[in-house]
Amino acid sequence: MSTGRLRLGVVGAGQVSQLCHVAPLLQDPRCLIVALADLREELCRVVAEEHGIPSIYPSHRALLDAEDVDAMVVVTNRPATGAVVRDCLDARRSVFCEKPMGHSVAQATELADLAQERGMSLFVGYMKRHDPGVVRMRAVLDA
């Protein structure tokens, strides 16, 4: 049954995921987090219970295989991010991931090309571009 909300799967149950992604997404009436995946089974269970996320998985692949999600939020350790994003795009899911989206420029380019090829959206979280200190420094450097 469709709720009219964006059904999300989240990969990563760590602190950044909980504070910067899960908590704000739960406040957005347009979003519904339906599943959480993390290699750390106990952490995954605790975070899911705390936030009312109905399903947990031991890996992003298990989540992708089992859940009907519209998009994935990927907040993994940096060396793993690119491969997880690729798996999500291969599964025809749009992705929001933390920076960096790949471990090299070549991998990042490959992921961007793959998303475009498949007609999927790929967003990379980079909030520092709006940080007042960064904005001011840019103005100084551009002057």
Side-chain angles (χ1 to χ4, degrees), residues 76-140:
T76 60
N77 66 49
R78 300 305 175 250
T81 300
V84 173
V85 168
R86 183 180 222 321
D87 288 345
C88 294
L89 293 171
D90 282 342
R92 305 264 186 214
R93 302 307 199 292
S94 291
V95 179
F96 174 92
C97 70
E98 269 296 336
K99 62 190 176 312
M101 65 192 243
H103 67 271
S104 67
V105 172
Q107 186 182 47
T109 300
E110 176 191 338
L111 293 171
D113 291 346
L114 181 60
Q116 185 172 24
E117 214 175 85
R118 302 254 163 98
M120 309 310 301
S121 296
L122 173 57
F123 300 97
V124 180
Y126 189 69
M127 56 60 96
K128 285 294 187 185
R129 76 177 64 190
H130 304 291
D131 180 85
V134 172
V135 170
R136 175 73 180 123
M137 183 55 71
R138 265 181 148 162
V140 168

Side-chain angles (χ1 to χ4, degrees), residues 36-70:
L36 177 65
D38 198 288
L39 298 174
R40 299 162 293 186
E41 183 180 348
E42 180 64 15
L43 176 63
C44 193
R45 185 187 59 72
V46 167
V47 171
E49 285 177 7
E50 182 178 319
H51 294 289
I53 299 170
S55 299
I56 62 170
Y57 296 92
S59 73
H60 68 282
R61 285 190 181 126
L63 189 160
L64 288 166
D65 288 344
E67 292 289 336
D68 179 23
V69 295
D70 301 309

